[in-house]
Amino acid sequence: MAVRAINGLAEMVEEGLVTPASAPALRPVEEAFRIRMTRAMRDRVDTADDPVARQFVPAVEELTIRDGELGDPIGDETHSPVKGLTHRYPDRVILHVTKTCEVYCRFCFRREAVGDEGSLPEADLVAALDYIAVNPAIREVILTGGDPLVLSARRIKGLMDRLAAIAHVDVVRIHTRIPVVAPEKITPELVDALRGPVVWVVVHTNHAQEIGEAAEAALGRLAGAGVGLLSQSVLLRGINDSVAVLEELFRKLMRLRVKPYYLHHCDLAKGTGHFRTTIAEGQALMAALRGRVSGAMIPTYVLDIPGGYGKVPLVRDYAEPLGGGLWRITDWRGGVHGYRDPER
Ligand SMILES: *Cc1c(COP(=O)(O)O)cnc(C)c1O
Ligand code: SF4
């Protein structure tokens, strides 16, 4: 399969995704942040400013750094006991197995950490696995990056075997964009590598237009192998910040056996302000989805608190305590109801 990716600004121009006239102004963007889009994503683009193109094609707005935007917006570095590993919550760790991705999303929360520097050196991986092995409180290991599935099937298999050998690790979770952006990489060998421990794959996808037939087939291969499937999306201004777009995405994911898990408020990464909605806008979208689509396909809208304090749901209050066991409850249409919580 010819799957050569589009790398850098010059190739974006060759592909007609950036006009020659606008290229010079984008050179500083290329110096600051890597540019890459897979052939599979190129094939999903209809027009140069559509919701797929805008996620990967550089824009001059990326040069605007707004107040509060940070190099490490979610504080990965604040809870890192050994290189490549973040241990923020007692029962789970994230392991950055590589810094490389198949695509470089213009809104990436780790945009200053990702790049083609390759995978975590073996010595650091050994230290990270040793840390997991001696900490029985760790029940779940989350592989992230970069994109962990850029590693070869053979290396993934090796890693799965080593994780399966740690008795207290119940679940391996893999955070990846590859089933959607490079579905041809979900090969039978890779699927086989995921048959050892209990594996959940959390697919990053933001718009139904990204998910073509090849991606549907790749997700089908994972589901067929007994891999649990969840999704995470980033709420992006002008891309998926409408009820209709989110509804179409979540309905499509459910049909593909993928349970929408998180909708992330766009993190404060540098040069991403043009993609960010307000929290109030995000909450209004979530409220509009409630009642309109099945509860099973509604993800949790979350904020990763800057500074490394973890994720919190940004739920709008449906229940407000009035004191004395009385609650003010708001239904999905906005109707207000009193509820008395029986005393115990
Ligand atoms: C997001 C994240 C997790 C996973 O959180 P869940 O709410 O379990 O999905 C774990 N560790 C770190 C450091 C994270 O940023
Ligand atoms: S795939 Fe994930 S880690 Fe890689 S650039 Fe996109 S958002 Fe960032």
Side-chain angles (χ1 to χ4, degrees):
M1 234 179 286
V3 290
R4 223 184 70 77
I6 299 148
N7 279 292
L9 189 55
E11 294 187 12
M12 285 277 169
V13 174
E14 279 169 36
E15 286 290 328
L17 294 166
V18 168
T19 63
S22 56
L26 290 170
R27 249 167 234 132
V29 178
E30 180 171 41
E31 276 156 33
F33 307 109
R34 217 166 284 259
I35 295 169
R36 174 177 298 151
M37 178 182 201
T38 55
R39 193 49 58 183
M41 282 299 93
R42 177 68 185 90
D43 291 345
R44 304 300 303 162
V45 169
D46 292 328
T47 62
D49 65 349
D50 77 12
V52 176
R54 288 193 50 222
Q55 294 184 53
F56 309 109
V57 176
V60 284
E61 287 87 345
E62 292 173 54
L63 298 171
T64 305
I65 314 295
R66 299 188 192 210
D67 276 356
E69 289 184 344
L70 305 161
D72 175 20
I74 74 163
D76 279 329
E77 304 288 332
T78 47
H79 299 275
S80 184
V82 291
K83 200 165 163 267
L85 186 132
T86 308
H87 193 184
R88 178 184 293 152
Y89 307 103
D91 74 320
R92 64 215 119 120
V93 292
I94 58 178
L95 186 54
H96 300 263
V97 292
T98 177
K99 293 187 165 167
T100 306
C101 298
E102 287 290 319
V103 288
Y104 290 111
C105 310
R106 306 323 297 166
F107 48 84
C108 175
F109 64 133
R110 292 196 180 114
R111 60 191 329 211
E112 291 186 77
V114 295
D116 288 358
E117 287 84 32
S119 52
L120 190 65
E122 176 62 21
D124 293 328
L125 184 60
V126 167
L129 291 169
D130 285 348
Y131 177 88
I132 295 166
V134 300
N135 281 283
I138 300 170
R139 308 298 297 276
E140 180 170 0
V141 175
I142 302 166
L143 306 183
T144 184
D147 196 317
L149 295 186
V150 302
L151 300 186
S152 68
R154 189 181 53 81
R155 294 197 58 193
I156 298 276
K157 172 89 173 82
L159 187 52
M160 290 297 148
D161 288 346
R162 287 153 95 178
L163 288 168
I166 304 172
H168 54 267
V169 173
D170 302 326
V171 170
V172 178
R173 203 200 302 178
I174 302 176
H175 284 187
T176 178
R177 205 151 166 36
I178 281 179
V180 168
V181 301
E184 74 285 352
K185 299 203 88 174
I186 308 298
T187 59
E189 295 72 38
L190 178 69
V191 171
D192 272 342
L194 304 181
R195 285 184 204 269
V198 171
V199 175
W200 285 79
V201 163
V202 183
V203 191
H204 171 184
T205 178
N206 304 316
H207 196 288
Q209 191 182 321
E210 289 170 24
I211 308 171
E213 274 173 30
E216 292 182 13
L219 291 167
R221 290 193 286 282
L222 291 168
V227 170
L229 294 172
L230 301 169
S231 71
Q232 53 183 340
S233 307
V234 183
L235 183 58
L236 297 166
R237 180 177 292 284
I239 291 178
N240 62 10
D241 62 335
S242 84
V243 180
V245 167
L246 291 175
E247 175 176 345
E248 190 188 357
L249 173 64
F250 299 150
R251 287 197 190 281
K252 187 161 197 173
L253 288 169
M254 283 294 275
R255 280 202 304 276
L256 296 167
R257 297 195 177 81
V258 182
K259 156 84 182 103
Y261 175 47
Y262 277 155
L263 178 67
H264 294 271
H265 187 68
C266 187
D267 290 311
L268 290 166
K270 286 185 189 161
T272 62
H274 54 301
F275 285 120
R276 201 168 302 113
T277 67
T278 63
I279 289 177
E281 287 168 331
Q283 288 183 323
L285 287 168
M286 293 304 295
L289 282 169
R290 175 70 53 194
R292 175 165 167 149
V293 302
S294 124
M297 63 174 80
I298 297 187
T300 305
Y301 176 40
V302 288
L303 173 72
D304 218 314
I305 308 168
Y309 300 100
K311 296 178 190 64
V312 282
L314 291 172
V315 280
R316 208 155 81 168
D317 277 341
Y318 289 98
E320 188 193 332
L322 300 174
L326 205 63
W327 290 75
R328 182 181 195 270
I329 307 287
T330 308
D331 70 29
W332 63 281
R333 286 195 177 94
V336 175
H337 312 270
Y339 177 81
R340 184 172 294 284
D341 202 14
E343 258 177 66
R344 303 207 45 101

